[in-house]
Amino acid sequence: MSDDGTRRVEIVHRPGEAQSPPVQVRVGDEVSVTLHGSPAYGWTPVEVAAGSLTVITAETTEGTAQAVVRATGPGEAELRSTSSFRGDRFGPQTRLWRLTVRVSS
């Protein structure tokens, strides 16, 4: 927890791991996401697919995506990213990562 009372939840996902279970945060809290990949099989930037979350920072480097989002209102929200093989557009299938974030006030 930071000095201003904001809590940060850390989510780390590696290839082959199961999807993360839903997380519970409060309005004003942050969720830090790291999706590990590889240069050949990289992630797209993490985005808010639904709900009251705001992306604070987002970047992709050498196949790894990192983002910090802030909960801006109560309700259920979803974060998403996709990963696909960059060497051959007909190569292995695209993978979808998603995380449900439940925000309380």
Side-chain angles (χ1 to χ4, degrees):
M1 191 175 291
S2 69
D3 293 338
D4 65 0
T6 300
R7 187 174 67 122
R8 181 176 277 192
V9 176
E10 304 280 335
I11 302 294
V12 178
H13 178 78
R14 290 181 173 76
E17 291 182 342
Q19 297 282 332
S20 298
V23 297
Q24 180 76 38
V25 299
R26 291 180 162 206
V27 172
D29 288 350
E30 296 179 345
V31 179
S32 173
V33 176
T34 302
L35 305 176
H36 291 283
S38 70
Y41 217 120
W43 293 99
T44 60
V46 174
E47 63 183 11
V48 177
S52 296
L53 298 174
T54 299
V55 176
I56 305 302
T57 63
E59 66 179 17
T60 56
T61 308
E62 297 296 317
T64 298
Q66 294 181 310
V68 175
V69 299
R70 181 171 293 129
T72 57
E76 190 167 281
E78 184 176 271
L79 298 174
R80 286 186 183 180
S81 179
T82 57
S83 176
S84 58
F85 185 69
R86 297 178 180 180
D88 177 0
R89 63 186 179 129
F90 300 108
Q93 68 184 31
T94 297
R95 296 178 290 182
L96 171 65
W97 173 87
R98 61 184 171 195
L99 175 69
T100 300
V101 180
R102 296 185 178 124
V103 184
S104 60
S105 46

